Amino acid sequence: MNEIDPAHRFSSEAVRHFDGPADGDKPGGMNDVARQVASQYRRDTMSPIMVSGVLRMVEFAVLLVSGLGVYFYYVGFFNYLAWQYPLTIAAASFLAVVLLDVTDCYQVVSLMRPIANFGRILLVWAGTFALMALTAFAMKMSQDYSRLLFGTWFVVAFVCLFGLRLVMSRLIRRWARDGSMERRAVIVGGGKAAEVLIRSVEKQPYNDIRICGIFDDRNDKRSPSLVAGYPKLGTISELIEFARIARIDMLIVSLPLTAESRVLQLLKKLWVLPVDIRLSAHSNALQFRPRAYSYIGSVPMLDIFDKPINDWDSVAKRAFDIIFSLIGIVVFSPVMLAAAIAIKLDSKGPVLFKQKRHGFNNEIIEVYKFRSMYTDRSDPTAKQTVTKNDPRVTPVGRFIRKTSIDELPQFFNSLLGSLSLIGPRPHAIAAQSHNLLYNEVVDGYFARHKVKPGVTGWAQINGWRGEMDTNEKIRMRTEYDLYYIENWSLLFDLRILFLTPVRLLNTENAY
Protein backbone atom coordinates (compact mmCIF):
# COMPACT_ATOMS: atom_id res chain seq x y z
CA MET A 1 0.00 0.00 0.00
CA ASN A 2 3.02 2.31 0.15
CA GLU A 3 2.51 3.49 -3.43
CA ILE A 4 -0.97 4.94 -2.87
CA ASP A 5 -0.96 8.72 -3.00
CA PRO A 6 -3.69 10.10 -0.72
CA ALA A 7 -3.72 13.37 -2.65
CA HIS A 8 -5.36 11.47 -5.53
CA ARG A 9 -7.75 9.51 -3.35
CA PHE A 10 -9.67 12.57 -2.21
CA SER A 11 -9.18 15.18 -4.93
CA SER A 12 -11.63 18.07 -5.08
CA GLU A 13 -13.00 16.66 -8.34
CA ALA A 14 -13.73 13.31 -6.70
CA VAL A 15 -15.40 14.96 -3.74
CA ARG A 16 -17.55 17.29 -5.84
CA HIS A 17 -18.84 14.47 -8.03
CA PHE A 18 -19.27 11.90 -5.30
CA ASP A 19 -22.90 10.78 -5.60
CA GLY A 20 -23.42 10.05 -1.91
CA PRO A 21 -25.68 12.22 0.25
CA ALA A 22 -24.55 15.73 1.07
CA ASP A 23 -26.34 18.73 2.44
CA GLY A 24 -23.38 20.89 3.35
CA ASP A 25 -24.76 23.81 1.37
CA LYS A 26 -27.91 23.81 3.47
CA PRO A 27 -26.57 24.14 7.03
CA GLY A 28 -28.95 23.42 9.85
CA GLY A 29 -29.45 25.80 12.73
CA MET A 30 -27.00 25.37 15.59
CA ASN A 31 -28.11 24.51 19.08
CA ASP A 32 -27.63 27.02 21.90
CA VAL A 33 -24.50 25.34 23.29
CA ALA A 34 -22.77 25.33 19.90
CA ARG A 35 -23.73 28.95 19.27
CA GLN A 36 -22.36 29.96 22.67
CA VAL A 37 -19.08 28.13 22.02
CA ALA A 38 -18.80 29.63 18.52
CA SER A 39 -19.29 33.16 19.87
CA GLN A 40 -16.15 32.73 22.00
CA TYR A 41 -14.03 32.36 18.87
CA ARG A 42 -15.37 35.16 16.69
CA ARG A 43 -12.15 37.15 16.51
CA ASP A 44 -9.33 36.20 14.18
CA THR A 45 -6.04 34.87 15.51
CA MET A 46 -2.42 35.31 14.50
CA SER A 47 -1.15 32.51 12.33
CA PRO A 48 1.93 30.74 13.74
CA ILE A 49 3.33 30.68 10.20
CA MET A 50 2.98 34.46 9.95
CA VAL A 51 4.56 34.98 13.38
CA SER A 52 7.58 32.83 12.54
CA GLY A 53 7.84 34.50 9.11
CA VAL A 54 7.94 37.98 10.64
CA LEU A 55 10.50 36.75 13.19
CA ARG A 56 12.76 35.61 10.33
CA MET A 57 12.76 39.15 8.93
CA VAL A 58 13.27 40.71 12.38
CA GLU A 59 16.20 38.40 13.16
CA PHE A 60 17.81 39.14 9.81
CA ALA A 61 17.49 42.86 10.60
CA VAL A 62 18.92 42.35 14.13
CA LEU A 63 21.96 40.47 12.80
CA LEU A 64 22.50 42.97 9.99
CA VAL A 65 22.14 46.08 12.16
CA SER A 66 24.33 44.67 14.93
CA GLY A 67 27.04 43.82 12.37
CA LEU A 68 26.91 47.23 10.72
CA GLY A 69 26.86 48.85 14.16
CA VAL A 70 30.06 47.05 15.19
CA TYR A 71 31.65 47.88 11.84
CA PHE A 72 30.87 51.59 12.07
CA TYR A 73 32.00 51.64 15.71
CA TYR A 74 35.46 50.44 14.67
CA VAL A 75 35.96 52.39 11.41
CA GLY A 76 33.74 55.44 12.09
CA PHE A 77 30.96 56.82 9.93
CA PHE A 78 33.15 59.20 7.95
CA ASN A 79 36.18 57.06 7.30
CA TYR A 80 36.83 54.96 4.22
CA LEU A 81 34.16 52.27 3.90
CA ALA A 82 35.32 48.95 2.48
CA TRP A 83 32.39 47.56 0.44
CA GLN A 84 33.18 43.94 1.28
CA TYR A 85 32.40 44.37 4.99
CA PRO A 86 28.70 45.43 4.70
CA LEU A 87 28.21 42.91 1.89
CA THR A 88 29.73 40.08 3.94
CA ILE A 89 27.69 41.05 7.02
CA ALA A 90 24.47 41.03 4.99
CA ALA A 91 25.31 37.67 3.38
CA ALA A 92 26.21 36.10 6.73
CA SER A 93 22.98 37.43 8.32
CA PHE A 94 20.92 35.91 5.53
CA LEU A 95 22.80 32.60 5.75
CA ALA A 96 22.23 32.43 9.51
CA VAL A 97 18.47 32.85 9.08
CA VAL A 98 18.43 30.12 6.41
CA LEU A 99 20.37 27.73 8.68
CA LEU A 100 18.07 28.52 11.63
CA ASP A 101 15.14 27.66 9.37
CA VAL A 102 16.74 24.43 8.13
CA THR A 103 17.40 23.30 11.72
CA ASP A 104 13.74 23.91 12.70
CA CYS A 105 14.56 26.83 15.01
CA TYR A 106 11.45 28.67 13.76
CA GLN A 107 9.03 25.92 14.77
CA VAL A 108 6.60 26.98 17.51
CA VAL A 109 8.03 24.35 19.87
CA SER A 110 11.54 25.79 19.45
CA LEU A 111 10.36 29.38 19.83
CA MET A 112 8.63 28.55 23.10
CA ARG A 113 11.74 26.85 24.52
CA PRO A 114 14.77 29.04 23.71
CA ILE A 115 16.88 27.79 26.65
CA ALA A 116 16.45 24.17 25.55
CA ASN A 117 17.56 25.24 22.05
CA PHE A 118 20.48 27.41 23.23
CA GLY A 119 23.08 24.93 21.95
CA ARG A 120 21.43 24.58 18.54
CA ILE A 121 21.22 28.36 18.04
CA LEU A 122 24.86 28.81 19.09
CA LEU A 123 25.94 25.99 16.76
CA VAL A 124 24.08 27.60 13.82
CA TRP A 125 25.68 30.99 14.48
CA ALA A 126 29.14 29.42 14.84
CA GLY A 127 28.53 27.40 11.68
CA THR A 128 27.70 30.60 9.83
CA PHE A 129 31.06 32.09 10.81
CA ALA A 130 32.86 28.88 9.91
CA LEU A 131 31.35 28.94 6.41
CA MET A 132 32.14 32.63 6.09
CA ALA A 133 35.79 32.03 7.09
CA LEU A 134 36.06 29.04 4.74
CA THR A 135 34.72 31.12 1.84
CA ALA A 136 37.16 33.96 2.57
CA PHE A 137 40.05 31.48 2.73
CA ALA A 138 39.05 29.84 -0.56
CA MET A 139 38.84 33.25 -2.25
CA LYS A 140 42.19 34.34 -0.69
CA MET A 141 40.51 37.29 1.02
CA SER A 142 40.87 36.29 4.69
CA GLN A 143 43.68 38.81 5.24
CA ASP A 144 41.29 41.64 4.28
CA TYR A 145 39.01 41.06 7.28
CA SER A 146 39.47 42.17 10.87
CA ARG A 147 39.30 39.26 13.32
CA LEU A 148 38.59 41.65 16.18
CA LEU A 149 35.65 43.21 14.33
CA PHE A 150 34.03 39.88 13.43
CA GLY A 151 34.77 38.40 16.85
CA THR A 152 32.96 41.33 18.46
CA TRP A 153 30.05 40.93 16.06
CA PHE A 154 29.83 37.23 16.87
CA VAL A 155 29.31 38.00 20.57
CA VAL A 156 27.08 41.07 20.18
CA ALA A 157 24.84 39.49 17.55
CA PHE A 158 24.41 36.25 19.50
CA VAL A 159 23.45 38.15 22.67
CA CYS A 160 20.90 40.18 20.68
CA LEU A 161 19.60 37.08 18.90
CA PHE A 162 19.17 35.02 22.04
CA GLY A 163 17.73 37.97 23.94
CA LEU A 164 15.13 38.39 21.20
CA ARG A 165 14.31 34.67 21.44
CA LEU A 166 13.73 34.99 25.20
CA VAL A 167 11.34 37.89 24.64
CA MET A 168 9.54 36.05 21.83
CA SER A 169 9.09 32.93 23.98
CA ARG A 170 7.28 34.98 26.62
CA LEU A 171 5.13 36.70 23.98
CA ILE A 172 4.22 33.43 22.24
CA ARG A 173 3.30 31.77 25.53
CA ARG A 174 1.09 34.74 26.38
CA TRP A 175 -0.52 34.72 22.93
CA ALA A 176 -1.13 30.96 23.25
CA ARG A 177 -2.74 31.41 26.69
CA ASP A 178 -5.09 34.23 25.67
CA GLY A 179 -5.97 32.64 22.30
CA SER A 180 -4.28 35.32 20.18
CA MET A 181 -2.06 32.77 18.42
CA GLU A 182 -3.56 29.35 17.86
CA ARG A 183 -5.00 27.07 15.23
CA ARG A 184 -8.62 26.30 16.02
CA ALA A 185 -9.61 22.75 15.24
CA VAL A 186 -12.84 20.76 15.23
CA ILE A 187 -12.92 16.96 15.40
CA VAL A 188 -15.24 15.44 12.80
CA GLY A 189 -16.48 12.07 14.00
CA GLY A 190 -16.83 10.97 17.61
CA GLY A 191 -16.47 7.84 19.69
CA LYS A 192 -13.32 5.96 20.63
CA ALA A 193 -11.36 7.05 17.55
CA ALA A 194 -11.92 10.72 18.42
CA GLU A 195 -10.92 10.12 22.05
CA VAL A 196 -7.64 8.47 21.03
CA LEU A 197 -6.93 11.32 18.62
CA ILE A 198 -7.63 14.03 21.21
CA ARG A 199 -5.45 12.33 23.82
CA SER A 200 -2.62 12.03 21.26
CA VAL A 201 -2.85 15.72 20.31
CA GLU A 202 -3.00 16.88 23.93
CA LYS A 203 0.13 14.88 24.75
CA GLN A 204 2.13 17.07 22.39
CA PRO A 205 3.92 19.76 24.42
CA TYR A 206 3.61 23.34 23.23
CA ASN A 207 1.40 22.54 20.23
CA ASP A 208 -0.69 25.45 18.96
CA ILE A 209 -3.90 23.47 18.36
CA ARG A 210 -7.02 24.40 20.28
CA ILE A 211 -9.80 21.82 19.97
CA CYS A 212 -13.14 23.64 19.95
CA GLY A 213 -15.49 20.67 19.95
CA ILE A 214 -16.73 17.57 18.17
CA PHE A 215 -19.33 17.15 15.44
CA ASP A 216 -20.81 13.84 14.37
CA ASP A 217 -24.00 12.71 12.62
CA ARG A 218 -24.20 9.57 14.73
CA ASN A 219 -26.25 9.71 17.88
CA ASP A 220 -25.68 6.40 19.61
CA LYS A 221 -23.17 4.60 21.81
CA ARG A 222 -20.50 4.93 19.13
CA SER A 223 -20.67 8.71 19.48
CA PRO A 224 -21.40 9.83 23.06
CA SER A 225 -22.19 13.46 23.91
CA LEU A 226 -18.85 13.94 25.72
CA VAL A 227 -15.51 12.65 24.40
CA ALA A 228 -12.24 13.19 26.29
CA GLY A 229 -13.82 16.15 28.06
CA TYR A 230 -15.04 17.83 24.86
CA PRO A 231 -18.76 18.16 24.07
CA LYS A 232 -20.35 16.97 20.88
CA LEU A 233 -21.77 20.23 19.56
CA GLY A 234 -23.95 18.96 16.73
CA THR A 235 -24.18 17.28 13.36
CA ILE A 236 -21.95 17.73 10.33
CA SER A 237 -24.50 20.05 8.71
CA GLU A 238 -24.46 22.26 11.80
CA LEU A 239 -20.69 22.32 11.63
CA ILE A 240 -20.84 24.45 8.46
CA GLU A 241 -22.42 27.36 10.33
CA PHE A 242 -20.27 26.80 13.43
CA ALA A 243 -17.01 26.87 11.47
CA ARG A 244 -17.92 30.13 9.79
CA ILE A 245 -18.87 31.91 13.01
CA ALA A 246 -16.00 30.52 15.08
CA ARG A 247 -13.24 31.23 12.52
CA ILE A 248 -12.16 27.59 12.54
CA ASP A 249 -8.76 26.92 10.93
CA MET A 250 -8.76 23.13 10.69
CA LEU A 251 -11.13 20.18 10.54
CA ILE A 252 -9.65 16.86 11.65
CA VAL A 253 -11.60 13.84 10.42
CA SER A 254 -11.19 10.96 12.88
CA LEU A 255 -12.32 8.15 10.62
CA PRO A 256 -10.24 5.28 9.25
CA LEU A 257 -9.02 5.75 5.69
CA THR A 258 -10.57 2.39 4.81
CA ALA A 259 -14.03 3.94 5.29
CA GLU A 260 -13.59 5.76 2.00
CA SER A 261 -17.28 6.13 1.19
CA ARG A 262 -18.02 7.65 4.60
CA VAL A 263 -15.00 9.97 4.35
CA LEU A 264 -16.07 11.16 0.89
CA GLN A 265 -19.60 11.73 2.17
CA LEU A 266 -18.23 13.98 4.93
CA LEU A 267 -15.86 15.81 2.60
CA LYS A 268 -18.68 16.53 0.16
CA LYS A 269 -20.35 18.51 2.94
CA LEU A 270 -17.22 20.16 4.33
CA TRP A 271 -15.09 21.13 1.33
CA VAL A 272 -17.06 24.36 0.83
CA LEU A 273 -15.41 25.80 3.98
CA PRO A 274 -12.22 27.90 3.78
CA VAL A 275 -10.31 25.67 6.20
CA ASP A 276 -7.57 23.06 6.23
CA ILE A 277 -9.08 19.55 6.23
CA ARG A 278 -6.92 16.78 7.65
CA LEU A 279 -7.57 13.07 7.96
CA SER A 280 -6.14 11.63 11.17
CA ALA A 281 -3.69 8.84 10.32
CA HIS A 282 -2.51 7.95 13.83
CA SER A 283 -4.64 4.79 13.99
CA ASN A 284 -4.66 3.82 10.31
CA ALA A 285 -3.16 0.49 9.35
CA LEU A 286 -2.40 1.84 5.86
CA GLN A 287 1.12 3.28 5.62
CA PHE A 288 2.11 5.95 3.10
CA ARG A 289 5.43 7.50 2.21
CA PRO A 290 6.67 9.87 4.97
CA ARG A 291 6.28 12.92 2.76
CA ALA A 292 2.57 12.17 2.41
CA TYR A 293 2.01 13.19 6.03
CA SER A 294 1.91 16.45 7.92
CA TYR A 295 2.15 16.45 11.69
CA ILE A 296 0.61 18.02 14.77
CA GLY A 297 3.48 17.37 17.13
CA SER A 298 4.12 13.70 16.36
CA VAL A 299 0.53 12.89 15.36
CA PRO A 300 0.47 12.09 11.59
CA MET A 301 -2.20 13.68 9.39
CA LEU A 302 -3.09 13.24 5.73
CA ASP A 303 -3.65 16.60 4.04
CA ILE A 304 -6.98 16.43 2.20
CA PHE A 305 -7.69 20.11 1.48
CA ASP A 306 -5.71 23.25 2.30
CA LYS A 307 -7.26 26.62 2.93
CA PRO A 308 -6.73 28.53 -0.33
CA ILE A 309 -4.68 31.75 -0.45
CA ASN A 310 -3.49 31.48 3.14
CA ASP A 311 -0.74 33.07 5.26
CA TRP A 312 1.95 34.75 3.07
CA ASP A 313 -0.10 34.17 -0.07
CA SER A 314 -2.85 36.29 1.48
CA VAL A 315 -0.32 39.03 2.28
CA ALA A 316 0.92 39.04 -1.31
CA LYS A 317 -2.64 39.10 -2.69
CA ARG A 318 -3.64 41.95 -0.34
CA ALA A 319 -0.60 43.97 -1.46
CA PHE A 320 -1.58 43.23 -5.08
CA ASP A 321 -5.13 44.51 -4.38
CA ILE A 322 -3.98 47.73 -2.72
CA ILE A 323 -1.42 48.61 -5.40
CA PHE A 324 -3.60 47.94 -8.43
CA SER A 325 -6.76 49.36 -6.81
CA LEU A 326 -4.96 52.68 -6.22
CA ILE A 327 -3.72 52.62 -9.83
CA GLY A 328 -7.27 51.87 -11.05
CA ILE A 329 -8.78 54.70 -8.98
CA VAL A 330 -6.23 57.20 -10.32
CA VAL A 331 -6.49 56.05 -13.97
CA PHE A 332 -10.30 55.83 -14.06
CA SER A 333 -11.10 58.85 -11.88
CA PRO A 334 -12.06 61.02 -14.93
CA VAL A 335 -14.37 58.25 -16.17
CA MET A 336 -15.94 57.85 -12.72
CA LEU A 337 -16.45 61.60 -12.40
CA ALA A 338 -18.10 61.80 -15.83
CA ALA A 339 -20.31 58.79 -15.02
CA ALA A 340 -21.41 60.37 -11.73
CA ILE A 341 -22.41 63.61 -13.48
CA ALA A 342 -24.26 61.74 -16.24
CA ILE A 343 -26.22 59.63 -13.73
CA LYS A 344 -27.21 62.70 -11.74
CA LEU A 345 -28.43 64.51 -14.85
CA ASP A 346 -30.22 61.45 -16.27
CA SER A 347 -32.55 60.55 -13.38
CA LYS A 348 -33.35 61.35 -9.78
CA GLY A 349 -31.63 59.46 -6.99
CA PRO A 350 -28.17 58.76 -5.58
CA VAL A 351 -25.16 58.26 -7.80
CA LEU A 352 -24.04 55.12 -6.00
CA PHE A 353 -26.04 51.96 -5.45
CA LYS A 354 -25.15 49.67 -2.54
CA GLN A 355 -26.09 46.03 -2.72
CA LYS A 356 -25.68 43.26 -0.13
CA ARG A 357 -23.81 40.28 -1.50
CA HIS A 358 -22.10 37.12 -0.28
CA GLY A 359 -18.43 37.72 0.56
CA PHE A 360 -15.59 35.61 1.92
CA ASN A 361 -16.73 32.76 4.17
CA ASN A 362 -20.36 33.50 3.27
CA GLU A 363 -20.31 36.81 5.18
CA ILE A 364 -22.61 39.58 3.98
CA ILE A 365 -20.80 42.56 2.44
CA GLU A 366 -21.94 45.78 0.77
CA VAL A 367 -20.74 46.25 -2.80
CA TYR A 368 -20.62 49.69 -4.45
CA LYS A 369 -21.88 50.28 -7.99
CA PHE A 370 -22.94 53.26 -10.03
CA ARG A 371 -26.74 53.35 -10.04
CA SER A 372 -28.03 52.06 -13.38
CA MET A 373 -31.78 51.72 -12.60
CA TYR A 374 -34.55 54.16 -11.81
CA THR A 375 -34.58 54.61 -8.03
CA ASP A 376 -38.20 53.53 -7.60
CA ARG A 377 -37.61 50.37 -9.69
CA SER A 378 -34.31 49.23 -8.23
CA ASP A 379 -34.00 45.69 -6.94
CA PRO A 380 -31.45 45.54 -4.07
CA THR A 381 -32.05 41.80 -3.56
CA ALA A 382 -31.54 40.95 -7.28
CA LYS A 383 -34.42 38.48 -7.24
CA GLN A 384 -35.28 39.56 -10.79
CA THR A 385 -32.36 39.26 -13.19
CA VAL A 386 -31.71 42.23 -15.50
CA THR A 387 -32.64 41.29 -19.06
CA LYS A 388 -32.16 42.82 -22.50
CA ASN A 389 -34.07 46.12 -22.89
CA ASP A 390 -35.10 45.93 -19.23
CA PRO A 391 -37.43 48.94 -18.58
CA ARG A 392 -35.99 49.38 -15.09
CA VAL A 393 -32.61 50.44 -16.52
CA THR A 394 -32.03 54.13 -17.29
CA PRO A 395 -30.54 55.28 -20.63
CA VAL A 396 -27.25 56.14 -18.95
CA GLY A 397 -27.50 52.94 -16.93
CA ARG A 398 -27.77 50.89 -20.11
CA PHE A 399 -24.50 52.38 -21.38
CA ILE A 400 -22.53 52.03 -18.15
CA ARG A 401 -23.73 48.43 -17.66
CA LYS A 402 -22.75 47.47 -21.20
CA THR A 403 -19.28 49.01 -20.78
CA SER A 404 -18.94 47.81 -17.14
CA ILE A 405 -18.36 51.39 -15.99
CA ASP A 406 -20.99 50.74 -13.31
CA GLU A 407 -18.50 48.38 -11.63
CA LEU A 408 -15.68 50.95 -11.27
CA PRO A 409 -16.62 52.04 -7.68
CA GLN A 410 -15.67 48.50 -6.63
CA PHE A 411 -12.04 49.62 -6.78
CA PHE A 412 -12.86 51.23 -3.43
CA ASN A 413 -14.30 47.93 -2.16
CA SER A 414 -11.02 46.26 -3.12
CA LEU A 415 -8.94 49.00 -1.52
CA LEU A 416 -10.89 48.75 1.75
CA GLY A 417 -10.71 44.95 1.76
CA SER A 418 -14.29 43.69 1.40
CA LEU A 419 -13.49 42.59 -2.18
CA SER A 420 -10.34 41.42 -3.87
CA LEU A 421 -9.43 42.80 -7.27
CA ILE A 422 -9.49 39.29 -8.78
CA GLY A 423 -11.79 36.50 -7.61
CA PRO A 424 -15.23 34.95 -8.07
CA ARG A 425 -17.78 37.69 -8.74
CA PRO A 426 -20.01 38.23 -5.68
CA HIS A 427 -23.67 37.42 -6.23
CA ALA A 428 -26.56 39.15 -4.50
CA ILE A 429 -27.76 37.22 -1.45
CA ALA A 430 -31.17 36.54 -2.98
CA ALA A 431 -30.05 35.98 -6.60
CA GLN A 432 -32.32 33.41 -8.24
CA SER A 433 -32.75 31.35 -11.37
CA HIS A 434 -36.25 30.10 -12.15
CA ASN A 435 -37.29 30.80 -8.53
CA LEU A 436 -34.36 28.79 -7.17
CA LEU A 437 -31.47 30.33 -5.23
CA TYR A 438 -28.10 29.78 -6.91
CA ASN A 439 -26.96 27.42 -4.13
CA GLU A 440 -30.07 25.31 -4.84
CA VAL A 441 -29.06 25.06 -8.50
CA VAL A 442 -25.35 24.23 -8.11
CA ASP A 443 -24.04 21.54 -5.79
CA GLY A 444 -21.15 23.01 -3.79
CA TYR A 445 -21.99 26.57 -4.85
CA PHE A 446 -20.78 28.07 -1.55
CA ALA A 447 -17.25 26.78 -2.24
CA ARG A 448 -16.94 29.97 -4.33
CA HIS A 449 -16.76 31.82 -1.02
CA LYS A 450 -13.57 30.11 0.19
CA VAL A 451 -11.74 33.23 -1.05
CA LYS A 452 -12.69 36.89 -1.23
CA PRO A 453 -14.92 37.71 -4.19
CA GLY A 454 -13.43 39.91 -6.89
CA VAL A 455 -14.13 42.92 -9.08
CA THR A 456 -13.33 40.71 -12.06
CA GLY A 457 -12.57 37.02 -12.37
CA TRP A 458 -11.68 33.99 -14.47
CA ALA A 459 -15.34 33.29 -15.30
CA GLN A 460 -15.91 36.85 -16.56
CA ILE A 461 -12.97 36.90 -18.97
CA ASN A 462 -14.12 33.53 -20.33
CA GLY A 463 -17.51 34.93 -21.34
CA TRP A 464 -19.59 34.06 -18.25
CA ARG A 465 -20.67 37.57 -17.35
CA GLY A 466 -23.97 39.37 -17.45
CA GLU A 467 -27.39 37.73 -17.27
CA MET A 468 -27.55 34.33 -15.52
CA ASP A 469 -30.83 33.26 -17.14
CA THR A 470 -30.20 29.50 -17.23
CA ASN A 471 -29.04 26.94 -14.71
CA GLU A 472 -26.25 25.91 -17.08
CA LYS A 473 -24.77 29.44 -17.03
CA ILE A 474 -24.71 29.43 -13.23
CA ARG A 475 -23.02 26.02 -13.21
CA MET A 476 -20.40 27.10 -15.75
CA ARG A 477 -19.64 30.31 -13.85
CA THR A 478 -19.22 28.29 -10.67
CA GLU A 479 -16.95 25.77 -12.44
CA TYR A 480 -14.66 28.58 -13.65
CA ASP A 481 -14.66 30.17 -10.19
CA LEU A 482 -13.65 26.89 -8.55
CA TYR A 483 -10.91 26.40 -11.14
CA TYR A 484 -9.54 29.82 -10.23
CA ILE A 485 -9.56 29.03 -6.49
CA GLU A 486 -7.78 25.70 -6.96
CA ASN A 487 -5.13 27.15 -9.33
CA TRP A 488 -4.54 30.60 -7.84
CA SER A 489 -1.22 32.38 -8.19
CA LEU A 490 -0.15 36.02 -8.50
CA LEU A 491 0.73 35.39 -12.16
CA PHE A 492 -2.78 34.02 -12.70
CA ASP A 493 -4.19 37.24 -11.14
CA LEU A 494 -2.01 39.38 -13.40
CA ARG A 495 -3.17 37.43 -16.45
CA ILE A 496 -6.84 37.97 -15.53
CA LEU A 497 -6.24 41.65 -14.74
CA PHE A 498 -4.63 42.42 -18.11
CA LEU A 499 -7.12 40.30 -20.09
CA THR A 500 -10.16 41.96 -18.49
CA PRO A 501 -10.16 45.20 -20.60
CA VAL A 502 -9.76 43.13 -23.78
CA ARG A 503 -12.58 40.72 -22.94
CA LEU A 504 -14.91 43.56 -21.88
CA LEU A 505 -15.04 44.60 -25.55
CA ASN A 506 -17.40 41.65 -25.97
CA THR A 507 -20.64 43.13 -24.63
CA GLU A 508 -22.98 40.41 -25.93
CA ASN A 509 -24.20 39.30 -22.48
CA ALA A 510 -23.99 42.66 -20.72
CA TYR A 511 -27.35 44.40 -20.32
Side-chain angles (χ1 to χ4, degrees):
M1 300 300 293
N2 286 343
E3 297 306 313
I4 299 174
D5 187 348
H8 295 296
R9 291 176 62 88
F10 300 111
S11 67
S12 59
E13 197 69 20
V15 169
R16 284 158 56 193
H17 294 104
F18 176 64
D19 57 5
D23 55 357
D25 293 344
K26 307 173 185 66
M30 288 190 297
N31 60 66
D32 291 339
V33 175
R35 193 171 297 280
Q36 184 178 356
V37 172
S39 66
Q40 298 173 10
Y41 300 107
R42 279 184 179 275
R43 65 189 179 96
D44 287 321
T45 61
M46 293 183 289
S47 164
I49 293 175
M50 296 292 288
V51 170
S52 64
V54 171
L55 182 60
R56 287 172 174 85
M57 293 186 284
V58 172
E59 290 191 338
F60 171 76
V62 165
L63 295 175
L64 179 62
V65 170
S66 64
L68 293 177
V70 170
Y71 174 68
F72 286 126
Y73 174 79
Y74 277 104
V75 304
F77 280 100
F78 303 106
N79 293 336
Y80 171 73
L81 300 180
W83 63 267
Q84 70 265 28
Y85 274 94
L87 187 62
T88 301
I89 289 168
S93 300
F94 179 77
L95 176 61
V97 171
V98 171
L99 291 177
L100 286 168
D101 191 16
V102 169
T103 54
D104 292 332
C105 288
Y106 289 107
Q107 297 295 323
V108 171
V109 175
S110 298
L111 295 178
M112 295 178 82
R113 305 173 65 206
I115 294 176
N117 287 276
F118 178 91
R120 194 193 311 180
I121 298 169
L122 180 59
L123 184 63
V124 165
W125 188 226
T128 301
F129 270 68
L131 288 172
M132 185 169 59
L134 185 62
T135 303
F137 176 78
M139 297 178 68
K140 299 181 179 181
M141 296 175 60
S142 55
Q143 70 276 6
D144 297 333
Y145 292 99
S146 166
R147 291 169 178 79
L148 177 62
L149 189 153
F150 278 99
T152 304
W153 181 39
F154 181 90
V155 175
V156 171
F158 183 76
V159 170
C160 292
L161 184 67
F162 193 72
L164 175 62
R165 290 266 167 158
L166 290 173
V167 173
M168 280 302 299
S169 70
R170 293 180 66 88
L171 286 175
I172 290 173
R173 287 171 186 268
R174 183 193 302 171
W175 292 336
R177 280 196 306 270
D178 65 19
S180 298
M181 192 192 83
E182 62 186 8
R183 286 184 292 169
R184 295 169 182 164
V186 163
I187 306 299
V188 181
K192 188 64 178 177
E195 182 178 359
V196 173
L197 170 63
I198 292 170
R199 300 293 187 204
S200 300
V201 171
E202 289 183 335
K203 279 183 187 175
Q204 309 306 313
Y206 308 109
N207 81 72
D208 59 330
I209 296 293
R210 173 168 295 193
I211 297 173
C212 300
I214 299 167
F215 286 80
D216 195 351
D217 283 338
R218 298 172 300 177
N219 214 2
D220 53 28
K221 290 181 180 179
R222 294 178 300 166
S223 182
S225 58
L226 196 67
V227 178
Y230 292 91
K232 188 172 74 173
L233 298 177
T235 65
I236 305 303
S237 295
E238 292 167 340
L239 169 56
I240 306 293
E241 184 179 356
F242 178 89
R244 285 181 169 136
I245 294 174
R247 310 282 186 174
I248 294 299
D249 300 300
M250 181 186 299
L251 304 180
I252 304 177
V253 180
S254 64
L255 290 174
L257 191 60
T258 49
E260 183 166 347
S261 178
R262 173 65 174 149
V263 171
L264 279 168
Q265 181 183 329
L266 290 175
L267 294 179
K268 190 170 177 67
K269 298 180 181 182
L270 299 174
W271 77 288
V272 299
L273 291 170
V275 298
D276 295 329
I277 299 181
R278 304 289 182 253
L279 180 63
S280 170
H282 73 289
S283 60
N284 275 311
L286 296 176
Q287 296 295 315
F288 297 106
R289 295 184 297 271
R291 64 185 176 86
Y293 297 106
S294 62
Y295 291 86
I296 297 175
S298 60
V299 180
M301 302 280 170
L302 291 173
D303 297 350
I304 306 301
F305 290 116
D306 289 326
K307 180 179 179 180
I309 317 181
N310 198 20
D311 295 322
W312 290 105
D313 285 344
S314 67
V315 174
K317 188 165 176 61
R318 183 69 187 126
F320 179 97
D321 289 341
I322 291 172
I323 292 168
F324 284 99
S325 294
L326 286 171
I327 293 173
I329 289 169
V330 171
V331 169
F332 291 104
S333 55
V335 178
M336 287 192 277
L337 180 60
I341 294 171
I343 291 167
K344 205 66 181 173
L345 294 175
D346 183 49
S347 61
K348 293 180 180 180
V351 169
L352 289 179
F353 174 70
K354 297 179 184 178
Q355 188 175 58
K356 293 188 183 300
R357 299 191 177 190
H358 284 297
F360 170 69
N361 204 19
N362 239 32
E363 294 174 350
I364 305 302
I365 59 172
E366 269 195 340
V367 171
Y368 307 138
K369 296 182 70 173
F370 281 126
R371 180 176 59 83
S372 59
M373 293 185 179
Y374 293 102
T375 304
D376 58 346
R377 301 184 192 177
S378 64
D379 180 17
T381 62
K383 283 186 177 181
Q384 183 181 345
T385 306
V386 176
T387 57
K388 194 171 184 178
N389 300 319
D390 197 314
R392 298 174 297 164
V393 179
T394 66
V396 168
R398 193 163 288 113
F399 174 77
I400 63 174
R401 289 179 71 92
K402 203 164 192 65
T403 56
S404 293
I405 291 174
D406 65 322
E407 310 282 0
L408 291 180
Q410 289 167 32
F411 278 120
F412 292 97
N413 278 113
S414 177
L415 184 63
L416 296 173
S418 57
L419 289 183
S420 183
L421 204 56
I422 312 296
R425 284 290 296 149
H427 294 153
I429 55 177
Q432 295 184 357
S433 171
H434 303 103
N435 296 320
L436 290 175
L437 294 173
Y438 286 176
N439 64 292
E440 296 173 320
V441 174
V442 181
D443 190 26
Y445 169 82
F446 282 129
R448 301 174 73 254
H449 304 151
K450 291 202 286 187
V451 299
K452 278 186 185 178
V455 178
T456 184
W458 183 236
Q460 282 63 46
I461 69 166
N462 281 281
W464 302 104
R465 62 185 285 251
E467 183 183 6
M468 291 289 103
D469 54 347
T470 68
N471 293 350
E472 182 60 20
K473 286 184 179 180
I474 300 165
R475 290 192 185 95
M476 290 305 299
R477 179 182 283 190
T478 302
E479 282 296 317
Y480 276 90
D481 289 338
L482 295 180
Y483 177 86
Y484 167 79
I485 292 171
E486 292 170 7
N487 295 277
W488 174 86
S489 69
L490 281 180
L491 287 177
F492 197 8
D493 274 1
L494 277 171
R495 178 185 174 190
I496 294 170
L497 184 66
F498 289 120
L499 281 176
T500 294
V502 177
R503 300 299 169 85
L504 287 180
L505 295 175
N506 179 8
T507 61
E508 181 183 352
N509 296 322
Y511 309 136

